[in-house]
Amino acid sequence: MRTLSAYKLMWMIVLFDLPVITKKERKAASLFRKSLLDMGFHMSQFSVYYRLLSGKEALDGYIRDIRKVLPPSGKVDILTITDKQYENIISFSGRIKEKKKTNPDQLYLF
């Protein structure tokens, strides 16, 4: 059985700061967040979403999909790191250190 290396698996992190002053801006921001969830992203913070990808090849498709749902204004950044880098993240909730996040189980096809 072949497993993917922690150096090949990639995490895509989408960070954004969207205007939410007008009703139209709030709706655009909500639609963007919903679109990220529909694409399989998980919310880390209100404006930070992340997703595990099988490698660099998958990045282009997700970048294309995100570009299609970008709101007309605001700032969106996409950061990618390897799974090996992601495992070094240290998270706190208040002053309490959170347990390390576990990766989703890998699907084996044979």
Side-chain angles (χ1 to χ4, degrees):
M1 224 177 303
R2 188 173 158 230
T3 60
L4 294 172
S5 163
Y7 293 100
K8 298 232 184 223
L9 289 172
M10 301 292 296
W11 286 91
M12 176 182 269
I13 303 167
V14 180
L15 312 113
F16 52 92
D17 186 14
L18 304 177
V20 289
I21 304 295
T22 68
K23 186 175 183 178
K24 187 177 180 179
E25 289 172 338
R26 285 190 298 275
K27 183 174 182 175
S30 292
L31 286 172
F32 183 68
R33 286 186 195 87
K34 184 181 180 321
S35 296
L36 290 174
L37 292 171
D38 290 345
M39 286 183 232
F41 284 83
H42 301 277
M43 185 174 72
S44 176
Q45 296 179 14
F46 196 62
S47 295
V48 179
Y49 287 68
Y50 63 95
R51 186 183 200 302
L52 182 65
L53 302 174
S54 59
K56 286 186 176 184
E57 300 78 27
L59 290 174
D60 292 336
Y62 280 96
I63 291 170
R64 195 171 34 252
D65 292 343
I66 290 169
R67 182 174 279 159
K68 289 178 187 174
V69 297
L70 286 173
S73 60
K75 180 161 177 48
V76 176
D77 293 313
I78 298 174
L79 172 69
T80 57
I81 59 174
T82 66
D83 189 44
K84 202 67 176 161
Q85 293 167 320
Y86 185 82
E87 74 181 23
N88 292 322
I89 292 175
I90 299 169
S91 297
F92 293 91
S93 181
R95 293 188 176 187
I96 299 169
K97 186 175 178 181
E98 292 182 349
K99 293 180 184 176
K100 283 195 173 254
K101 293 181 182 177
T102 57
N103 290 346
D105 292 330
Q106 187 171 335
L107 178 64
Y108 292 103
L109 299 175
F110 49 95

